């Protein structure tokens, strides 16, 4: 009966094609933004050194949604095939984040699903609703929970490209606010947790303007994790491998602090009865 249900689900219109069906008990995290989220740790002269810290080691309990919407065991570089083809990708914060959640014993699910969406060199305006980047992020987020589970948070690290022009820096706060409102509405998660990383660097002279805009977001359930002061491997823009590990742990702590303060509400009695009936008859 369960096998028949899965076959019918896969054949239903509007359901993404998944080659592998992961456990339904998973918590999903969307990783979006630009190069420091995509990961440049260990990348020198557009080549990754291949070194994977222990905190970023693969685990059967950490999955990645691939570019073609399949679940696989996650491993570095997490954004391989997701970031632009002309960018070498290395270590980012995602694997360290997932492993830190699992080590804590408070991940809230047996499996952590990572949905990489970041693309290097992108400005905030390129992530607005109606753009290709936004549409792809939304599509991947929806597919990620088709087989069960829930979205735990959007992890957002972006803004370096918005430090070049005053118009972009000046509009950053408004655009970020709209992005949060739009993704929550389109995913149907009005209180979706968004953890944004405060810039550690920038491409232009308006880095501080963007940082102040990031700190100034007043929407509920938007957290700020500051990357300023973490070591840059090129002395200019990208976090080093160890800095990415540290950032991943910082993001995990922010999520765990939020989860502890906002325990998941119990399912209503009628939903519990429906789930019990489904279990009995299947």
């Amino acid at each position: 009966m369960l096998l028949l249900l899965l076959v019918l689900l896969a054949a239903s219109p509007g359901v993404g094609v998944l080659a592998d069906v992961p456990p339904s008990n998973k918590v999903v995290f969307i990783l979006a933004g630009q190069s420091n989220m995509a990961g440049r740790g260990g990348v020198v002269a557009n080549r990754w050194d291949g070194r994977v810290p222990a905190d970023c080691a693969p685990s059967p309990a950490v999955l990645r949604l691939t570019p073609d919407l399949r679940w696989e065991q996650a491993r570095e570089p997490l954004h391989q095939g997701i970031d632009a083809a002309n960018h070498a990708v290395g270590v980012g914060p995602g694997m360290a984040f997932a492993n830190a959640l699992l080590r804590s014993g408070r991940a809230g699910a047996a499996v952590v699903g990572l949905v990489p969406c970041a693309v290097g060199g992108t400005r905030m305006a390129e992530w607005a609703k109606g753009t290709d980047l936004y549409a792809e992020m939304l599509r991947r987020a929806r597919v990620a929970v088709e087989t069960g589970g829930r979205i735990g948070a959007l992890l957002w690290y972006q803004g370096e490209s918005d430090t070049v022009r005053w118009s972009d820096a000046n509009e950053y706060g408004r655009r970020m606010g709209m992005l949060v409102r739009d993704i929550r509405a389109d995913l149907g998660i009005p209180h979706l947790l968004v953890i944004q990383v405060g810039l550690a660097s920038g491409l232009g002279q308006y880095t501080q303007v963007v940082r102040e805009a990031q700190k100034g977001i007043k929407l509920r359930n938007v957290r700020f994790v500051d990357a300023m002061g973490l070591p840059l491997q090129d002395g200019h823009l990208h976090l080093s491998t160890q800095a990415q590990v540290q950032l991943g742990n910082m993001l995990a702590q922010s999520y765990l602090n939020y989860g502890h303060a906002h325990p998941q509400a119990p399912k209503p009695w009628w939903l519990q009865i429906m789930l019990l009936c489904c279990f009995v008859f299947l």
Side-chain angles (χ1 to χ4, degrees):
M1 184 73 173
L2 180 58
L3 179 60
L4 176 61
L5 181 62
L6 290 173
V7 171
L8 290 174
L9 180 62
S12 299
V15 175
V17 177
L18 294 172
D20 305 303
V21 179
S24 60
N25 181 24
K26 64 182 181 295
V27 57
V28 170
F29 297 92
I30 308 163
L31 315 180
Q34 57 180 114
S35 56
N36 271 315
M37 178 57 82
R40 298 292 188 268
V43 174
V44 178
N46 210 33
R47 182 183 296 272
W48 180 46
D49 62 16
R51 296 174 185 169
V52 178
D55 286 36
C56 303
S59 162
V62 182
L63 303 179
R64 172 185 99 126
L65 192 68
T66 66
D68 58 350
L69 306 179
R70 295 180 301 105
W71 285 108
E72 67 178 10
Q73 185 173 334
R75 62 184 67 248
E76 298 289 6
L78 198 60
H79 274 77
Q80 186 68 46
I82 302 293
D83 198 358
N86 60 330
H87 295 149
V89 288
V91 175
M95 288 299 297
F97 167 81
N99 284 327
L101 286 190
L102 292 171
R103 285 196 307 270
S104 75
R106 296 188 290 137
V111 172
V112 173
L114 301 176
V115 183
C117 298
V119 177
T122 52
R123 295 161 43 243
M124 175 61 83
E126 296 176 82
W127 286 92
K129 183 171 181 175
T131 63
D132 291 342
L133 288 174
Y134 181 89
E136 182 65 5
M137 175 174 64
L138 183 63
R139 180 176 77 114
R140 290 175 59 76
R142 286 172 169 166
V143 167
V145 291
E146 283 179 356
T147 52
R150 61 184 178 86
I151 296 177
L154 164 64
L155 308 183
W156 179 262
Y157 191 171
Q158 187 277 336
E160 294 92 342
S161 293
D162 290 85
T163 67
V164 176
R165 299 189 302 193
W166 167 251
S167 58
D168 287 332
N170 190 49
E171 284 285 289
Y172 194 90
R174 184 188 67 80
R175 288 171 175 165
M176 181 66 190
M178 286 302 302
L179 176 69
V180 172
R181 294 184 184 94
D182 287 337
I183 196 68
R184 285 174 171 174
D186 287 336
L187 289 176
I189 310 175
H191 303 296
L192 174 68
L193 174 63
V194 177
I195 306 178
Q196 61 166 342
V197 180
L199 293 186
S201 57
L203 285 167
Q205 60 182 319
Y206 300 114
T207 301
Q208 194 56 37
V209 175
V210 173
R211 281 179 50 81
E212 290 304 317
Q214 293 175 321
K215 293 177 185 178
I217 302 294
K218 301 303 183 185
L219 296 174
R220 291 187 61 188
N221 299 345
V222 175
R223 295 297 179 96
F224 178 84
V225 170
D226 202 348
M228 181 61 76
L230 295 180
L232 304 173
Q233 68 180 12
D234 53 12
H236 169 58
L237 186 65
H238 295 126
L239 297 184
S240 68
T241 296
Q242 286 306 315
Q244 288 284 17
V245 170
Q246 187 174 344
L247 177 60
N249 284 300
M250 292 163 62
L251 289 166
Q253 193 58 55
S254 178
Y255 177 77
L256 292 170
N257 289 345
Y258 173 87
H260 182 72
H262 298 76
Q264 200 170 9
K267 294 181 177 65
W269 63 268
W270 56 267
L271 181 55
Q272 294 184 46
I273 293 174
M274 288 180 62
L275 291 173
L276 179 61
C277 291
C278 290
F279 176 79
V280 170
F281 287 108
L282 288 176

